[in-house]
Amino acid sequence: MSIENTPAVRVAEVVLSIATLLGVVVLLAIPPVQLSGMTAGSPAGIAIALGIWAIPTLLSVVVLYHVSTGPQRLVSYLIGVLGILTLGIIALNVSAVLTTDGAFTYGGSGAFVGPVIALFTASLLGVVVLLDTGVNRLTVLSSE
């Protein structure tokens, strides 16, 4: 039994989609002054870094795996494009962080623009995955 025929990939997509959307809600709830005052090594800083960098990356990788091994539908192309776009933006952000002088300490204007754009595309990806899952589930339930 191959992994694409198990619900594990779909469950991972749904969990990562919900985590991405919850990350957006949490980040929007924190005042910008308090957000910029957090240190990178603090538990809150680590949680925010995971929400901005790791979860969208994992979501994109899992979704692209599912799209490449699953049935080809119109929504698969939309999910694939959003997954590639999210991974591309994250890769650009990582390269900018690694090549900028004072990369991990830079706090000037525009420091969060790239990660916010990546989080936005990842949240769009999460919404599409959740809608697709819901539609598929309703289709299965109505056919029984």
Side-chain angles (χ1 to χ4, degrees):
M1 182 176 195
S2 64
I3 192 165
E4 66 266 8
N5 292 330
T6 65
V9 174
R10 185 56 99 173
V11 168
E13 287 177 342
V14 170
V15 167
L16 289 169
S17 296
I18 292 171
T20 300
L21 295 174
L22 285 175
V24 170
V25 170
V26 168
L27 285 175
L28 289 175
I30 300 172
V33 173
Q34 189 179 10
L35 187 62
S36 64
M38 290 183 190
T39 60
S42 69
I46 292 170
I48 289 171
L50 284 173
I52 291 175
W53 296 99
I55 294 174
T57 303
L58 287 173
L59 174 62
S60 297
V61 169
V62 170
V63 163
L64 287 173
Y65 172 78
H66 187 245
V67 165
S68 67
T69 59
Q72 300 301 314
R73 301 173 297 145
L74 182 61
V75 73
S76 298
Y77 294 111
L78 176 61
I79 289 172
V81 166
L82 285 171
I84 290 170
L85 183 64
T86 302
L87 277 180
I89 293 170
I90 290 171
L92 286 173
N93 291 332
V94 169
S95 70
V97 165
L98 295 176
T99 59
T100 303
D101 291 336
F104 296 103
T105 59
Y106 177 72
S109 63
F112 291 107
V113 173
V116 167
I117 293 171
L119 197 57
F120 174 73
T121 59
S123 63
L124 283 177
L125 178 59
V127 167
V128 172
V129 166
L130 291 174
L131 287 174
D132 181 46
T133 302
V135 167
N136 281 339
R137 189 68 189 141
L138 287 174
T139 305
V140 168
L141 288 175
S142 67
S143 67
E144 290 179 351

